[in-house]
Amino acid sequence: MRRVVSWLLAGAVQAAGGQTPPPAPQRIQIEGKAQDDSELRRDALAGLVVVDREELDRYGDFSVLDVLQRQAGISVDGGEPRLRGLGGGYTLILINGEPAPPGFSLEQLSPAEIERIEIIKGPSAEHGGVAGTINVILRGAPKLRQREWRANASYRGLRPVGSTSLSWGDRVGALGFQVPIAAYQWAGRGAFRSERLSRSAEGELREQHVQGRDEWRGGGLNLGPRLDWKVSDFDTLQWQTFLQRNESDNRNVSATAALQGTPPSLLAVRSENRGVWQLARTQLQWVSKQPDGRRYELKASAERSRGDSAGLFFGTAGSAAPLLRESVSHSTSDRIALGARWRQPLADGHALASGIDAEQRSRHELRSIVDNGVEWLTGSIGRPFDAQMRRGVAFVQDDWTISQRASASIGLRLEAIATEAGTSTGDVERQRSVMLSPAVQGRWALDDKSRDVLRASLARSSRLPDLSSLIGRYSFNGSYERNTSNTPIAADSGGNPHLLPERAWAFELSWEQYFSGGGVASLGLFHRRIERLIRRRLALEAVPESSVARWVSRPANIGQARSTGVELELKGTGEQLLPMLFVPRSGWQLRAATSLYGSQVEQIDDPDARLEGQPPWVVTLGVDKLPAQDALGCGTSLSYTPSYTTQQTDRQRLWRDRVRRLDVYALWRFSREVQLRVSVSNADPLPTRSETSIEDLDGFSARSSTRREGLAQFNANLIVRF
């Protein structure tokens, strides 16, 4: 009918001698929505979890570690996040795609400074983390003005401390900026008790009890400005700088009682160590996104971190003169890196991605010691040590969309490494290594809507030794004076310039089922085979700094190891998982995860010869009641790790007690702009216990056990957006 009327009107106009009016201009508006974290995880080729800005704000977390502890498959040990139960360099930590510098701690990074966190389980052609990669992306320039202020107060046994952060982002024409600044403090204390029992090669028995107290306090400042300049519709220039400065003050008091055998040289010790750590990193990046899907990226970065510390040690003995020791340490680490990425869509659902990276790292260390006014001038004391590493990486990867349900990726990574490190004799030790690493990944959706997804991957990767572990100098154990024989239980520590990178094969297999509303159930299997495993070994050495032989612990490549595990995860709303207990749209979120680990170092014939720090299993549970506007929310998390034993070497065993951590919080959202979070971390603390033992090492046997008290931490965090 409309066409007929339009035709009649047009005919009438023409009959009247007029012209047909031009059609009214039409406006076409295309609206899109960015994928949320659940959709990104579902569509990824590799096992991927993205913690976006919305989730970072949802729970009002105070620390980045609080965010990571809530993620399935991640455990936190000593302030270090671990994937697959593996830390110590197996889990690659990146800041804006660049390796985190030595001495950097995620605990000192506020969620207010972060845009998102990408957790990649397993290595790939681009990223080579043996266990996986945690990439922390700092906040970029927003599309609209964003201003946020956070304030926090906390207490952990010593004294109350406070922290604050301010983030301001805006855009002026083609130029956008984000300026986050954070100031923070920390303080805590802990009491400990140690028992030492040993038998020397000559048969002498010694038993000692040590009681003491530690205190630690400090503070720091973070500044991370970022500029984004939209040069054209396709090109963007980004500049990001991160500055950090920390000051720490650690104190220790201990007393030793000799119950049997020769008493120690020092019966009472009081020490204090003050340090300053500084980091400056800058990164420049150009990104070009073409209409046909091509993407080009160039980046350059430079960083320097510096650590300075001064220690004061005062020890007293029964009849000997007291000891006053002053020590000064200095270290500097530098890094320069260049990189390029290129992605080109090809025919038949293929896309070719390639890239190159080149970096150079260097480290300089110097330490001086003065005992009762006399400076040490022997061996590694008072002499600078240097180490340098040059690394080049090239990779190519074909991403292939086979069908609506299936996709795959085949990649190849070439990595060349050269190291130079100073030895205790003043020589320079050089090492070179080249590795070609294939990576194959596949994803299959078992239905058209990708509710069930199956993934598999096989890749090779490497783990680089820290530059500090390559330096030949070593440090004395303060429990025994330098001209007194120490024990393997209280060994000195040193580096090894002969270290080579570890190599590993990684296999991943996982199944995931996604629920409507964002829930997921997953089951994952993994296996690692590690070559040239790095582990610390004990040996009795003649060192220039002492008139007697000393036990020294140094890292070494000892052989091969394997690790296999199973990870289960279940999370979703209360009505999805337990409909008999929760009504629809109640706001309750449930999560549970279990990880089972098994590992074996092949060169050690013992059932407990597992990889360092990897427990047999870990369980985490969580319940959250998310608040709406002008409402109250709450939540709790529980994680549990059982006690376990690690056969460190043929003669040395380590035992760690169970770890249980219970966190609770309450969250008030007074409005969209203001919220308050009150929480208790480690609300039901357990004492931390550990034990190490040596059996018949050159005729020596010993056992040492330590018990440290557990403390809860109380936090109050206020967020105001304006």
Side-chain angles (χ1 to χ4, degrees), residues 608-622:
D608 292 322
R610 65 180 74 247
L611 291 173
E612 284 187 89
Q614 188 183 60
W617 52 272
V618 178
V619 172
T620 58
L621 302 171

Side-chain angles (χ1 to χ4, degrees), residues 149-162:
W149 173 65
R150 297 189 180 211
N152 181 80
S154 63
Y155 174 77
R156 187 185 176 186
L158 186 62
R159 61 179 176 86
V161 293

